[in-house]
Amino acid sequence: MPNSARPRWPAAAELPDGHVATGLLLQMAHRAAHDRLAAELKPLGMDIRHFGILQFLARGGLTQRQLIDLVGVDKSTLVRIIDQLEEQGLAVRTRDPHDRRAFQVTVTERGRERLAAANAVAADLGDHLFGWLGAGDRRRLHELLQRIIQQAHERG
Amino acid sequence: MPNSARPRWPAAAELPDGHVATGLLLQMAHRAAHDRLAAELKPLGMDIRHFGILQFLARGGLTQRQLIDLVGVDKSTLVRIIDQLEEQGLAVRTRDPHDRRAFQVTVTERGRERLAAANAVAADLGDHLFGWLGAGDRRRLHELLQRIIQQAHERG
DNA sequence: TATTGTTATACTCTATAACTATA
DNA sequence: TATAGTTATAGAGTATAACAATA
């Protein structure tokens, strides 16, 4: 597993001045949360990249094309991801009756079980990471993050 | 450049429930800011990975060993990064007089100029992304992010 | 002619291991 | 014997392009 010893960047936290510090903290917080989730999902046999895909699939079967639009990966990349999910028996491809070029990708029963276990782990971790936030702080944090995302997509 | 068409994840933003949404927003905000910075640094001939390294070096020459401890990458990876910086004339290796096994890595004049240009771009982008935050919100955001980082490193 | 999906291939990034030169 | 750095090499992840089947 690559990157098990992770850059802790501002090693003891000598943050730069100004807004760069905000960006760096954003990166550090994301990475810390991401790595922690990946580590906790691993013993369940759940890859963190598969986790996101399965979330979408759990709401209803989708074609690979639809998944590509949701997730944004290249189609050839998605082929391999779905291959892996099929190998693990977590999802299956079935021909779309309306468009016989396309496959419907569906979560299997086994996939649902594993996803449920992963969701439980993710919920526990979420409680640990974010549960201390008061309702107001949580709402405010979401607002701020969404505004940042919006700003990043706007020219200026 | 790989990943130019980036996952926008919750494409129109159908966020999941609970704390998972917070983690996802964290990821989206980080990635949006990161990609935007990378895009704006590129025309200056500044790779975003080099940007961080140069920041550290600008405060004073460091050996590769010291950089490894700061940044957390593998030593063989760092060799290539320093090679690239040297090829571009942004940094140089000189023998450490006290320990002739080691190299001191120093930013060149050209490196300082390019770093200054990159810092100006980063500062402008920071203003755009985060400048709308009031002083209080900014402080609070930093506190929240630091607490999240801390929680992620604690067992629970 | 355009689109869904597959395959073959290549590129990037990074880590592991073996090596050298110093200490 | 241990450490700083280099090199060779392999692996993971992803993209590009050519292709098959269907629309």
Side-chain angles (χ1 to χ4, degrees):
Chain A
M1 169 177 285
N3 270 350
S4 58
R6 229 51 191 298
R8 23 206 203 309
W9 273 77
E14 294 179 31
L15 290 172
D17 300 330
H19 293 310
V20 179
T22 311
L24 211 43
L25 282 170
L26 220 43
Q27 163 157 343
M28 292 169 70
H30 158 58
R31 191 136 81 177
H34 175 278
D35 290 0
R36 180 79 187 257
L37 180 60
E40 300 203 0
L41 289 180
K42 199 181 175 187
L44 280 70
M46 175 67 79
D47 181 284
I48 194 170
R49 259 173 306 262
H50 296 170
F51 185 51
I53 303 266
L54 285 174
Q55 297 277 11
F56 284 117
L57 291 177
R59 302 190 187 177
L62 296 169
T63 66
Q64 293 182 207
R65 178 71 210 150
Q66 290 171 317
L67 275 170
I68 286 165
D69 290 336
L70 280 170
V71 176
V73 298
D74 186 83
K75 56 185 181 174
S76 68
T77 302
L78 187 64
V79 166
R80 289 191 46 179
I81 294 175
I82 306 298
D83 283 351
Q84 291 161 358
L85 288 174
E86 273 199 324
E87 282 163 22
Q88 296 182 66
L90 305 181
V92 286
R93 278 183 254 237
T94 52
R95 280 286 172 198
D96 184 327
H98 303 301
D99 182 346
R100 290 180 40 221
R101 293 171 303 182
F103 282 116
Q104 282 280 339
V105 185
T106 328
V107 184
T108 62
E109 187 51 39
R110 188 176 181 200
R112 286 194 186 281
E113 287 165 13
R114 189 157 318 172
L115 184 56
N119 276 326
V121 164
D124 280 354
L125 179 58
D127 286 344
H128 175 62
L129 294 180
F130 311 121
W132 53 272
L133 281 164
D137 269 345
R138 181 169 180 278
R139 201 176 323 111
R140 188 75 186 124
L141 178 60
H142 283 209
E143 285 169 7
L144 297 182
L145 292 174
Q146 275 169 324
R147 174 81 190 268
I148 291 169
I149 294 164
Q150 182 193 326
Q151 290 292 116
H153 291 304
E154 269 172 23
R155 70 170 50 261
Chain B
M1 172 176 283
N3 270 351
S4 58
R6 228 51 190 297
R8 20 197 206 312
W9 272 77
E14 295 180 29
L15 290 172
D17 301 328
H19 293 310
V20 179
T22 311
L24 211 42
L25 282 170
L26 220 43
Q27 163 157 343
M28 292 169 70
H30 158 58
R31 192 136 79 176
H34 175 278
D35 290 0
R36 179 80 186 256
L37 180 60
E40 300 204 357
L41 289 180
K42 198 182 176 186
L44 280 71
M46 175 67 79
D47 182 286
I48 195 170
R49 260 173 304 262
H50 296 170
F51 184 51
I53 303 266
L54 284 174
Q55 297 279 11
F56 283 118
L57 291 177
R59 302 190 188 177
L62 297 167
T63 65
Q64 294 183 206
R65 177 71 210 149
Q66 290 171 317
L67 275 170
I68 286 164
D69 291 337
L70 279 171
V71 175
V73 298
D74 185 82
K75 57 184 180 174
S76 69
T77 301
L78 187 64
V79 167
R80 290 193 44 181
I81 294 175
I82 306 298
D83 284 351
Q84 292 160 359
L85 288 175
E86 274 201 324
E87 284 162 21
Q88 296 182 67
L90 305 181
V92 285
R93 280 182 254 236
T94 52
R95 281 286 172 199
D96 184 329
H98 303 303
D99 181 346
R100 290 183 37 224
R101 294 170 302 182
F103 284 116
Q104 284 278 339
V105 185
T106 328
V107 183
T108 63
E109 188 51 39
R110 187 176 181 199
R112 286 196 185 278
E113 288 164 13
R114 190 161 313 175
L115 184 56
N119 275 327
V121 164
D124 280 353
L125 179 58
D127 286 345
H128 175 63
L129 294 180
F130 310 121
W132 53 273
L133 281 165
D137 267 345
R138 181 170 181 277
R139 202 178 320 112
R140 187 72 187 127
L141 178 60
H142 284 209
E143 284 170 8
L144 297 181
L145 292 174
Q146 275 169 324
R147 174 81 190 268
I148 291 168
I149 294 164
Q150 182 192 326
Q151 290 293 115
H153 291 303
E154 269 174 22
R155 70 171 48 262

